[in-house]
């Protein structure tokens, strides 16, 4: 912890655990440090970063206003996998928000992340610690495999328990708006703030950047659909299957990674990115995946699978 805090204090960017995915963290208030995040990730500057805070007092230093409905959400789901878009103060570098007027703020629940935030005395900007467009990391080994040589340090926190990124929520024209499906379900958000306006950008020049159609993508082609039909279509190729629940009879698949044999969506979310990486690294030509039930965390899983297949 002391070593990690020292690197951050010197303006470096390092790998850090959170309950959703591993992040690539740097001092959010130091534009030079933040630049190193973009360089290590090969991330375009139009894609803004989420700022991680230890407590609500830090939020007050970073934002001008906190709409009551979003404060209710923070009260209910922080610390946790929820990011709120709030009007930023000048102290937040424009680099962090890609020039946008709002800053994404999240209070992570992972105890190692919380301890690190307390040790640094400044908020941490941190995107997921993967090369831009690739699968997000849910273990320190994932981070090491892709960013070794580019960052000086990774703080170990064990495998991530949630496994998909935070849900992103903002406030527009008197209504709560959803920008990304994530670790807190739509149902759980709507229980607090009422019906959400969906602002899930799908274009390549999005108003809420980063929600590009192609994202979270393995290097192998991924096809999303009904496994039985897809399996028949790709019979002559080496096939990797990302399974959910029990599998239909198939012509000898080459590799199977089960997200959850019992059909548990939380378990499937937790295993999703490891499953994609495992099949991407296996000796297969194509990856086949099926959509999971589109409820609760299933929406976040289906969203990532759609982007992985685009
Ligand atoms: O769970 C998470 O949110 C993880 C962990 C590390 O906290 N972080 C994460 O960061 O997923 P990243 O950079 O992979 O995704 C952040 C996305 C951006 O691509 C963008 O879509 C949205 O959050 N975002 C961040 N700040 C924003 C802003 N000011 N306005 C609009 N969208 C914003
Ligand atoms: Mg990301």
């Amino acid at each position: 912890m002391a070593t990690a805090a020292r690197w951050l204090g010197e303006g470096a960017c390092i790998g850090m655990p959170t309950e959703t995915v591993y992040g690539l963290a740097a001092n959010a208030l130091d534009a030079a440090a933040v630049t190193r995040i973009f360089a290590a990730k090969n991330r375009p500057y139009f894609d803004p970063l989420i700022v991680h805070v230890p407590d609500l007092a830090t939020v007050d230093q970073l934002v001008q206003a906190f709409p009551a409905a979003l404060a209710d959400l923070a009260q209910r789901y922080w610390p946790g996998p929820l990011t709120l878009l709030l009007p930023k103060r000048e102290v937040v570098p424009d680099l962090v928000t890609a020039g946008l007027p709002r800053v994404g703020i999240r209070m992570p629940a992972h105890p190692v992340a919380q301890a690190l935030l307390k040790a640094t005395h400044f908020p941490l900007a941190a995107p997921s610690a993967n090369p831009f467009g690739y699968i997000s990391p849910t273990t320190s080994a994932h981070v090491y495999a892709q960013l070794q040589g580019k960052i000086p340090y990774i703080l170990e926190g064990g495998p991530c328990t949630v496994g998909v990124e935070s849900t992103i929520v903002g406030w527009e024209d008197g209504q709560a708006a959803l920008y990304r499906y994530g670790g807190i379900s739509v149902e759980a958000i709507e229980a607090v703030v009422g019906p959400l306006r969906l602002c899930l950008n799908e274009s390549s020049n999005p108003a809420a950047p980063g929600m590009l159609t192609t994202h979270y993508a393995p290097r192998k082609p991924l096809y999303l659909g009904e496994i039985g039909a897809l399996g028949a279509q790709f019979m002559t190729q080496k096939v990797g299957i990302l399974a959910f629940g029990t599998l239909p009879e198939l012509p000898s698949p080459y590799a199977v990674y089960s997200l959850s044999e019992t059909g548990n969506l939380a378990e499937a979310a937790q295993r999703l990115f490891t499953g994609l990486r495992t099949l991407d690294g296996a000796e297969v030509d194509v990856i086949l995946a099926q959509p999971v039930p589109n409820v609760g965390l299933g929406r976040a899983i289906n969203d990532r699978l759609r982007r992985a297949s685009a």
Side-chain angles (χ1 to χ4, degrees):
M1 190 66 66
T3 306
R6 197 180 67 235
W7 277 114
L8 290 167
E10 289 170 6
C13 80
I14 66 164
M16 75 175 278
T18 82
E19 71 278 22
T20 57
V21 300
Y22 272 72
L24 187 57
N27 182 350
L29 305 181
D30 176 351
V34 171
T35 304
R36 295 191 183 103
I37 298 177
F38 286 92
K41 264 194 79 124
N42 207 6
R43 180 177 176 113
Y45 285 108
F46 63 72
D47 196 359
L49 307 178
I50 292 170
V51 175
H52 299 71
V53 298
D55 49 37
L56 288 173
T58 306
V59 181
D60 286 339
Q61 292 163 18
L62 302 176
V63 311
Q64 295 172 27
F66 208 147
L70 299 191
D72 289 346
L73 279 180
Q75 168 75 28
R76 177 74 182 76
Y77 297 117
W78 276 357
L82 172 70
T83 294
L84 298 175
L85 298 185
L86 299 166
K88 83 175 191 79
R89 287 191 199 273
E90 219 165 294
V91 63
V92 180
D94 286 331
L95 193 56
V96 169
T97 62
L100 295 167
R102 292 185 297 184
V103 57
I105 306 258
R106 177 161 110 78
M107 193 185 295
H110 196 297
V112 175
Q114 291 190 349
L116 182 64
L117 284 161
K118 287 197 177 95
T120 55
H121 306 294
F122 45 72
L124 293 172
S128 51
N130 50 286
F132 185 69
Y134 193 64
I135 304 163
S136 300
T138 50
T139 68
S140 58
H142 293 163
V143 182
Y144 182 75
Q146 294 190 301
L147 296 179
Q148 57 177 299
K150 298 193 166 165
I151 55 174
Y153 200 74
I154 304 168
L155 184 59
E156 177 62 62
C160 301
T161 52
V162 176
V164 291
E165 295 85 347
S166 58
T167 305
I168 303 181
V169 178
W171 187 254
E172 275 186 40
D173 305 325
Q175 190 184 8
L178 179 78
Y179 301 89
R180 178 172 74 182
Y181 291 116
I184 305 270
S185 71
V186 167
E187 293 89 335
I189 304 275
E190 290 189 332
V192 176
V193 296
L196 281 167
R197 171 201 306 233
L198 298 187
C199 302
L200 306 154
N201 265 288
E202 304 264 341
S203 82
S204 59
N205 184 19
M211 297 311 291
L212 303 176
T213 315
T214 308
H215 218 104
Y216 312 105
R219 316 227 183 268
K220 306 258 168 78
L222 183 146
Y223 296 88
L224 185 59
E226 201 271 307
I227 292 282
L230 285 175
Q233 191 183 332
F234 290 97
M235 228 154 80
T236 59
Q237 300 195 43
K238 289 183 189 164
V239 168
I241 294 176
L242 194 66
F244 180 79
T246 48
L247 276 182
E249 279 297 316
L250 283 169
S252 64
Y254 201 79
V256 175
Y257 187 97
S258 176
L259 290 178
S260 170
E261 273 164 24
T262 60
N264 179 317
L265 288 170
E267 180 184 32
Q270 204 256 323
R271 291 167 61 79
L272 176 65
F273 290 142
T274 294
L276 285 172
R277 276 173 193 264
T278 302
L279 293 176
D280 207 19
E283 273 185 42
V284 300
D285 302 319
V286 296
I287 302 171
L288 308 183
Q290 62 194 123
V292 302
N294 208 39
V295 294
L297 285 180
R299 284 186 234 247
I301 296 171
N302 288 334
D303 171 76
R304 304 308 187 265
L305 287 175
R306 264 197 309 277
R307 292 177 203 277
S309 75

